[in-house]
Amino acid sequence: MQSATITRWLPAAMLSLALGGCASAGYNFASDDYKIETVKSENASERVRFLVMHFTAIDFATSLKVLTQTSSAPVSAHYLVPESNDPSYPHPDLRVYQLVDENRRAWHAGPGMWEDRTQVNDQSIGIEIVNQSHCFAAPEKAAGKEMAGAEKTDESTGEEHCVFPDFDPAQIDLLIALSKDILRRYPDIGPTHVVGHGDVLPQYKIDPGPRFPWQQLAEAGIGAWYDDDAVQRNLEYLHGNSVSDRDSVRRRFAQWLADYGYGIDPDSADDGEITLYTRAFQYHFRPWQVDGEVDAQTRAILLALLEKYFPQKLSAYPEVQTGLLAQQQP
């Protein structure tokens, strides 16, 4: 059980200095029991490789309790970021709450998969963001318990209607400051290693949801986003080269998802799994239309991302104009 919760108010200018004490321990230590000589190896990397974003789905006070106290299903995160106008939040200013030291493993991402890593939880820093998004199951709909402002989602997920409130702008500013500080200290967290809970564990999670401002974060240097001109160019090409059958298109898209980082096995994935991972991708990169369909726009967006972050992988796709794409590289 976490015995204490560290709270602090951190203006953006002070954030890096204040959080710097969480960095990994160095080489310098001594023992009276033995002598040690240190020769630093170049064959190593940071333990922390990913930054995972979550929404809490509950208010601040409940989030803090759930994330810090023992229970039958204990969860935690390294940081908790509150939102403005939450009656359960006790301060007039927004503060970053650190719940777990970065050197320790927080229980936030389960057996999530990304790239070649099968335990993202063990190699990541998790940030919980207070946002009361939630979904209603089909029986509630039938009982007439739908809520105003609910958004329709695909029935195959069991989530008939979901409510996704906007994220608080002041909260996002604080999240950006915190995230930029984390990235400064962990250079192995590249743009494609900043992910959502739903990206690494789409079988169970959809957070941080379609209202999370991924593009705003990318523009601040946090995470990945595509270039609009690349999407348009790929979209025009795909519209002029649509000769493959539906199954072949979806199977190839699953390969592209795996090449980008998603934990899907394109060789064994069935149609339902491809839909599931496509929805996870759309929650992140095409949040205005999340339907699990491998349409031309979704394919063009993923190709634009591969072109930007993994151009060396495009040669594996003979039907894509790799020569044209390579010319676009700086």
Side-chain angles (χ1 to χ4, degrees):
M1 176 177 179
Q2 186 86 8
S3 60
T5 299
I6 303 171
T7 66
R8 52 180 177 259
W9 173 64
L10 297 176
M14 298 173 60
L15 194 58
S16 178
L17 179 63
L19 293 180
C22 297
S24 299
Y27 281 92
N28 300 322
F29 63 93
S31 172
D32 295 332
D33 299 324
Y34 58 90
K35 294 181 180 180
I36 184 167
E37 293 209 17
T38 299
V39 180
K40 185 177 181 180
S41 174
E42 297 299 325
N43 306 318
S45 62
E46 294 284 352
R47 180 194 67 79
V48 175
R49 187 173 175 83
F50 306 102
L51 181 59
V52 183
M53 303 292 183
H54 307 255
F55 62 50
T56 64
I58 48 181
D59 66 13
F60 170 80
T62 309
S63 299
L64 191 59
K65 179 178 179 181
V66 168
L67 292 168
T68 60
Q69 297 186 17
T70 57
S71 70
S72 59
V75 293
S76 59
H78 293 90
Y79 295 101
L80 174 63
V81 181
E83 65 178 342
S84 305
N85 303 316
D86 182 342
S88 73
Y89 181 68
H91 303 291
D93 54 289
L94 292 183
R95 309 179 182 188
V96 173
Y97 278 64
Q98 184 172 1
L99 312 181
V100 177
D101 189 285
E102 290 177 4
N103 289 322
R104 305 190 70 191
R105 180 177 63 246
W107 303 338
H108 66 98
M113 297 178 61
W114 194 255
E115 294 185 340
D116 58 343
R117 308 302 175 95
T118 58
Q119 290 291 333
V120 167
N121 189 80
D122 297 348
Q123 305 161 67
S124 62
I125 291 175
I127 303 178
E128 287 279 1
I129 305 151
V130 176
N131 178 276
Q132 296 190 56
S133 295
H134 54 284
C135 295
F136 299 90
E140 291 183 277
K141 175 186 176 184
K145 296 181 179 179
E146 299 179 25
M147 289 187 64
E151 300 182 14
K152 190 77 170 66
T153 63
D154 189 278
E155 294 183 4
S156 65
T157 66
E159 299 163 356
E160 289 291 335
H161 288 270
C162 292
V163 175
F164 297 112
D166 288 330
F167 285 81
D168 169 32
Q171 175 190 53
I172 295 301
D173 288 343
L174 188 58
L175 173 65
I176 287 173
L178 170 63
S179 299
K180 291 177 75 171
D181 186 75
I182 292 170
L183 296 182
R184 277 192 292 268
R185 290 180 286 105
Y186 296 97
D188 283 359
I189 305 178
T192 63
H193 293 165
V194 181
V195 293
H197 199 182
D199 290 314
V200 301
L201 204 63
Q203 299 88 343
Y204 305 106
K205 300 295 182 179
I206 61 173
D207 55 314
R211 298 295 180 88
F212 188 73
W214 285 112
Q215 183 175 5
Q216 181 183 348
L217 265 67
E219 290 170 352
I222 304 160
W225 199 254
Y226 50 83
D227 298 326
D228 289 337
D229 60 342
V231 173
Q232 184 59 38
R233 176 166 27 84
N234 288 317
L235 190 59
E236 292 172 0
Y237 175 76
L238 290 171
H239 279 157
N241 293 269
S242 300
V243 296
S244 298
D245 61 273
R246 178 180 182 274
D247 183 69
S248 297
V249 168
R250 289 172 66 82
R251 186 70 55 185
R252 178 51 58 90
F253 186 75
Q255 181 63 62
W256 295 352
L257 286 171
D259 284 344
Y260 185 77
Y262 285 88
I264 186 172
D265 183 343
D267 295 324
S268 63
D270 60 25
D271 196 61
E273 288 176 291
I274 295 174
T275 295
L276 179 71
Y277 278 91
T278 300
R279 285 172 55 83
F281 175 79
Q282 291 170 337
Y283 268 121
H284 192 137
F285 293 108
R286 198 187 71 173
W288 59 90
Q289 186 179 346
V290 179
D291 55 17
E293 291 297 324
V294 182
D295 55 32
Q297 185 184 53
T298 302
R299 296 166 67 202
I301 290 172
L302 182 48
L303 277 176
L305 289 164
L306 289 169
E307 172 185 342
K308 186 173 184 178
Y309 298 106
F310 302 102
Q312 72 281 6
K313 296 183 178 181
L314 291 173
S315 61
Y317 310 134
E319 79 278 19
V320 176
Q321 292 180 311
T322 54
L324 175 61
L325 297 178
Q327 293 173 15
Q328 304 299 320
Q329 300 302 314

